[in-house]
Amino acid sequence: MPALTRNKKKGAKSQTPPLIKRTKSNPTPPPKKAMKSHKPPLKKQRKGVSDEKREVYNDEEEEEEEEVSEESDEGDELGSDLFSDGDEEEEDGDEEDDIEPSDDDFLGGSDEEKGTLVSDSDSDSDESDIEKESKAIDEERERQEQDAKDELQMNIKEQPDEFRLPTKKELEEEASGPPDLPALQTRIKEIVRVLSNFKDLRPEGVKRKEFVEQLKADLGSYYGYNEFLIGTLVEMFPPVELMELIQAFEKQRPTSIRTNTLKVNLTRRRDLADVLLNRGVNLDPLSKWSKVGLVVYDSQVPIGATPEYLAGFYMLQSASSFLPVMALAPRENERVVDMAAAPGGKTTYVASLMKNTGIIYANEMKVPRLKSLTANLHRMGVTNTIVCNYDGRELPKVFGPNSVDRVLLDAPCSGTGVISKDESVKTSKSANDIRKFADLQKQLILAAIDLVDAESKTGGYIVYSTCSIMIPENEAVIDYALKKRDVKLVPCGLDFGQAGFTRFREHRFHPTLEKTRRFYPHVHNMDGFFVAKLKKMSNETKASEGDEPVETKEQAQLSSDEDDDDESIKELKKPSGANVVKNKQRIPISKANNKGKKNKNFKTENANAEGPRKQKKKRSQWKAEIAQAREDKRKVMREKNTKEPGRR
């Protein structure tokens, strides 16, 4: 029986040889169709067959144990070894079967399994593409950040931590080529930064003066200022404020208009604004300090050609021009003089405050500007104004001294406060121009003070204003007036504005100049302006020692006339040599009379002289004396003719 069982096991093994041996014998894989035709049994079926075989083997083993009960240990050991070998071979075959079908299924599976595999591979490829793109984006971002860091480090290495001024060689190289505006701007910012905190940021061995001089040169090159003007501004303002002022000069100030209260009541100003808004004008109230002002941001129609403008409902006027009239504060039924009235913005404002009562003398020296002045007065409905054309320095002679209640003097000036309107001021004004304007302004303010009556019950005020920010045209002029006339400074009545200078360079002004007001474009968003208000205390004049008197136009003409009289006198005192003896013989009486008259006149003149300079006779007096001498000569000749009747 044991031999039979062995033969059966061998037959079973020969019927189902393991697949591993076949794969080894056929190393090249068969095509897909052949693999499908010779499809191996499924794993579950193979497992069922192996279980049945194991049950048959167990039954046979039980029968053999019953028949052969007495078997040697060697046979048992041999049988057990055989069974164990067979089992191991079956187990090995089962493991090989378990492995091989997975390969066959992978190589030749069903269509559904193939579809799932393709979809999985596509999804895997998509995911791999997304990952690649994200990695590429991350790498690009990291590269850009690294480049930025490298560039920053390069700039840091190129630019030292401490700012240094350019050398002479570098400045010569810059001057030889076109200006490098970005480099200039960067250097200006660095110089301003160092000067704003020079104590801490000061480089070793460099003086502040060197930084200031370089700042002047750079500002002049970058913004187009001449050396004089930029030098004066640097001395007047700190570096940071100076930059704000210069940058404000580069921008236009907003347009403003003034409502005419002679035609539009304050309660109807809103109606005027609504009408202009409907016409496409974008506007707002000017500020809290003005009840009649409107600021215009933009307009779809010309703001100076609307029907409301032509009807006189408003006046185009800069915001800074409101300030002198507000400081003057005229009252009804007063006599007011506007010494420089054209084009009429301030004059019409004064008339509206006076409600067309009293008298306003609108003076303008330049004839071509009288046309615009007169047109604006008619358009705005002003009826209490007289237009005149005189030199402002002659007005005290025209109207009489101490004859008006208030005077408004918007003096002609250099225009350094309105650079945004006229950029030619940057290069056209010099120290000599400022000096000439200052001399003219001093003469005008003395004439304005002489016009005002100190004993006026409601007035006695003078307002002086300029559109300049130069100290010689503003504080120096007011200080001169305080020394020459009995006046004092009073508050302007304006709640805003910066106080005037009381010292500048080597000059020291009166302490009350703090009551004057300065307005700047970078602070108040209006043109640069200066306003001062004076109160006349008495009608007397005073002259302080050490001040040089300013020669007026009339004094210059008088001195020239006196020089002409002196020359005529010398000519009259030089008679010809042939007539000297005849004159002594023929008219001794007349000569004695004339000599007595001369002595008498000289005595009276010396007695009435008030100054150190002697007043001399005018040409008309000498002509009268000569005519008298001729008449005396004729009388003598007539007497001789009457005494000798027979001579004919």
Side-chain angles (χ1 to χ4, degrees):
M1 291 298 291
L4 182 60
T5 57
R6 289 193 197 98
N7 293 329
K8 289 182 180 180
K9 290 179 181 179
K10 289 180 181 179
K13 288 182 181 177
S14 63
Q15 289 177 1
T16 57
L19 295 174
I20 295 174
K21 292 180 180 179
R22 286 184 297 184
T23 56
K24 286 182 181 179
S25 62
N26 299 323
T28 57
K32 290 185 177 181
K33 293 182 179 180
M35 290 175 66
K36 288 182 180 179
S37 61
H38 300 285
K39 191 172 183 180
L42 296 175
K43 187 176 181 181
K44 293 182 179 180
Q45 295 176 357
R46 292 198 302 272
K47 285 184 178 180
V49 173
S50 60
D51 292 337
E52 292 177 356
K53 289 180 180 179
R54 287 180 183 177
E55 290 178 357
V56 172
Y57 294 154
N58 292 330
D59 294 336
E60 291 177 352
E61 288 175 358
E62 290 177 357
E63 291 177 354
E64 289 177 355
E65 288 177 357
E66 291 177 355
E67 293 176 354
V68 185
S69 58
E70 294 178 357
E71 189 175 2
S72 61
D73 296 333
E74 294 178 0
D76 294 334
E77 291 175 2
L78 181 60
S80 62
D81 293 335
L82 290 172
F83 285 116
S84 62
D85 294 336
D87 294 336
E88 289 176 359
E89 289 176 359
E90 290 177 0
E91 290 176 358
D92 294 336
D94 295 338
E95 291 176 358
E96 291 173 359
D97 295 337
D98 294 337
I99 295 170
E100 285 183 3
S102 64
D103 296 335
D104 295 336
D105 294 339
F106 176 75
L107 293 172
S110 62
D111 295 336
E112 295 179 356
E113 291 176 352
K114 287 183 180 180
T116 54
L117 290 173
V118 171
S119 62
D120 292 339
S121 62
D122 293 339
S123 62
D124 293 339
S125 62
D126 294 340
E127 291 177 359
S128 62
D129 294 340
I130 293 171
E131 289 178 358
K132 289 179 181 179
E133 291 178 359
S134 63
K135 287 180 181 179
I137 292 171
D138 294 338
E139 290 175 358
E140 182 68 19
R141 187 181 301 167
E142 291 177 359
R143 187 180 62 78
Q144 291 178 358
E145 291 177 357
Q146 187 64 30
D147 293 342
K149 289 180 181 179
D150 295 340
E151 186 177 357
L152 179 61
Q153 293 295 330
M154 188 182 299
N155 293 334
I156 291 172
K157 289 179 181 179
E158 291 178 357
Q159 296 179 358
D161 295 336
E162 293 184 359
F163 172 75
R164 65 176 183 83
L165 292 174
T167 60
K168 292 182 179 179
K169 186 177 180 181
E170 293 175 351
L171 292 176
E172 290 176 357
E173 292 178 355
E174 288 183 5
S176 61
D180 187 0
L181 297 182
L184 280 175
Q185 188 177 16
T186 303
R187 191 162 62 200
I188 289 170
K189 290 180 180 178
E190 289 296 328
I191 293 175
V192 171
R193 181 180 65 85
V194 173
L195 290 176
S196 61
N197 191 11
F198 192 72
K199 185 177 180 180
D200 297 334
L201 303 177
R202 175 183 181 180
E204 295 182 0
V206 182
K207 297 181 181 180
R208 185 184 182 89
K209 184 179 180 181
E210 298 179 9
F211 278 90
V212 173
E213 293 297 329
Q214 187 61 46
L215 180 62
K216 291 180 183 178
D218 291 343
L219 288 175
S221 301
Y222 191 83
Y223 292 100
Y225 287 86
N226 60 19
E227 186 177 354
F228 160 74
L229 188 56
I230 197 65
T232 305
L233 295 177
V234 168
E235 293 178 354
M236 288 177 60
F237 300 96
V240 177
E241 188 176 1
L242 173 65
M243 291 304 303
E244 294 177 355
L245 175 66
I246 292 177
Q247 290 173 1
F249 279 146
E250 300 300 314
K251 301 176 183 178
Q252 293 291 331
R253 304 274 76 76
T255 305
S256 58
I257 60 176
R258 178 181 56 82
T259 306
N260 184 17
T261 56
L262 295 176
K263 294 186 176 182
V264 180
N265 296 328
L266 288 176
T267 56
R268 294 176 56 193
R269 185 179 67 159
R270 186 183 299 275
D271 298 336
L272 175 63
D274 293 338
V275 172
L276 294 177
L277 286 171
N278 293 331
R279 293 190 183 278
V281 181
N282 186 13
L283 50 80
D284 279 328
L286 180 60
S287 184
K288 295 180 180 179
W289 52 266
S290 176
K291 296 181 180 179
V292 295
L294 294 170
V295 58
V296 179
Y297 300 110
D298 54 43
S299 176
Q300 298 179 1
V301 296
I303 196 66
T306 61
E308 290 77 19
Y309 174 82
L310 299 175
F313 289 165
Y314 63 88
M315 178 80 176
L316 279 171
Q317 190 172 359
S318 62
S320 56
S321 298
F322 290 30
L323 306 175
V325 180
M326 295 173 63
L328 185 66
R331 298 185 181 181
E332 298 180 16
N333 300 315
E334 284 186 341
R335 290 164 59 91
V336 180
V337 174
D338 188 355
M339 295 183 69
K346 300 180 185 67
T347 305
T348 55
Y349 194 7
V350 172
S352 64
L353 293 177
M354 295 174 64
K355 299 179 181 179
N356 265 340
T357 62
I359 299 176
I360 300 174
Y361 297 99
N363 180 67
E364 177 56 43
M365 187 181 71
K366 296 181 179 180
V367 176
R369 304 186 69 183
L370 293 174
K371 185 181 294 185
S372 62
L373 173 60
T374 306
N376 283 324
L377 290 174
H378 286 296
R379 183 176 61 84
M380 301 293 282
V382 177
T383 58
N384 65 339
T385 301
I386 299 173
V387 179
C388 52
N389 174 228
Y390 291 102
D391 187 347
R393 295 169 290 187
E394 298 177 356
L395 290 180
K397 293 182 178 180
V398 176
F399 300 126
N402 311 322
S403 58
V404 299
D405 298 313
R406 298 173 193 258
V407 172
L408 174 61
L409 173 58
D410 186 20
C413 62
S414 60
T416 53
V418 290
I419 294 177
S420 58
K421 294 181 180 179
D422 184 11
E423 292 189 356
S424 64
V425 178
K426 293 180 179 180
T427 56
S428 61
K429 302 304 176 185
S430 62
N432 191 27
D433 295 330
I434 303 299
R435 194 179 301 111
K436 289 180 180 179
F437 279 115
D439 292 340
L440 176 61
Q441 290 157 358
K442 289 176 181 179
Q443 298 177 41
L444 288 172
I445 195 171
L446 293 182
I449 294 171
D450 294 339
L451 276 172
V452 174
D453 184 10
E455 298 178 357
S456 173
K457 295 181 180 179
T458 59
Y461 294 100
I462 305 99
V463 171
Y464 174 84
S465 64
T466 64
C467 57
S468 171
I469 59 175
M470 295 288 103
I471 293 175
E473 298 182 77
N474 297 323
E475 284 85 354
V477 174
I478 299 298
D479 187 70
Y480 176 83
L482 292 174
K483 294 176 181 177
K484 289 295 183 180
R485 298 289 186 270
D486 189 10
V487 293
K488 70 174 183 178
L489 277 168
V490 295
C492 297
L494 302 172
D495 298 334
F496 63 106
Q498 296 184 3
F501 288 85
T502 56
R503 59 175 63 192
F504 179 67
R505 293 177 180 169
E506 69 278 5
H507 303 287
R508 298 294 180 270
F509 304 123
H510 199 277
T512 57
L513 279 167
E514 293 181 350
K515 296 180 180 179
T516 62
R517 285 292 173 267
R518 282 177 161 266
F519 303 91
Y520 298 113
H522 67 287
V523 179
H524 308 99
N525 197 22
M526 63 176 65
D527 295 328
F529 222 75
F530 175 83
V531 179
K533 188 174 184 179
L534 296 167
K535 168 68 175 174
K536 190 173 182 179
M537 305 306 295
S538 67
N539 294 328
E540 298 178 358
T541 60
K542 64 177 182 179
S544 60
E545 297 179 358
D547 293 334
E548 296 181 359
V550 178
E551 185 180 19
T552 61
K553 185 177 179 181
E554 293 78 11
Q555 291 174 351
Q557 292 177 353
L558 182 60
S559 62
S560 63
D561 292 340
E562 290 176 352
D563 293 339
D564 295 339
D565 293 340
D566 293 340
E567 293 177 359
S568 61
I569 291 169
K570 289 179 182 178
E571 291 177 357
L572 291 172
K573 285 183 178 180
K574 291 181 180 179
S576 60
N579 294 329
V580 172
V581 178
K582 293 181 180 179
N583 290 334
K584 287 183 179 179
Q585 293 177 354
R586 292 180 180 179
I587 49 173
I589 299 172
S590 63
K591 185 176 179 181
N593 293 334
N594 290 335
K595 188 175 181 181
K597 289 181 181 179
K598 284 184 180 180
N599 293 333
K600 187 176 180 181
N601 290 332
F602 279 128
K603 287 180 182 179
T604 56
E605 289 173 359
N606 291 331
N608 296 328
E610 295 180 356
R613 184 174 179 177
K614 295 181 180 180
Q615 295 182 359
K616 296 181 180 181
K617 294 181 180 180
K618 293 184 178 181
R619 185 179 298 175
S620 59
Q621 295 177 353
W622 288 103
K623 288 182 178 180
E625 291 177 359
I626 292 170
Q628 184 66 29
R630 289 176 179 174
E631 185 65 25
D632 293 340
K633 184 179 178 180
R634 292 191 188 96
K635 287 181 180 179
V636 172
M637 295 298 293
R638 289 187 191 119
E639 290 176 357
K640 286 183 178 182
N641 292 331
T642 55
K643 288 180 180 179
E644 299 177 359
R647 188 174 178 179
R648 292 180 182 178

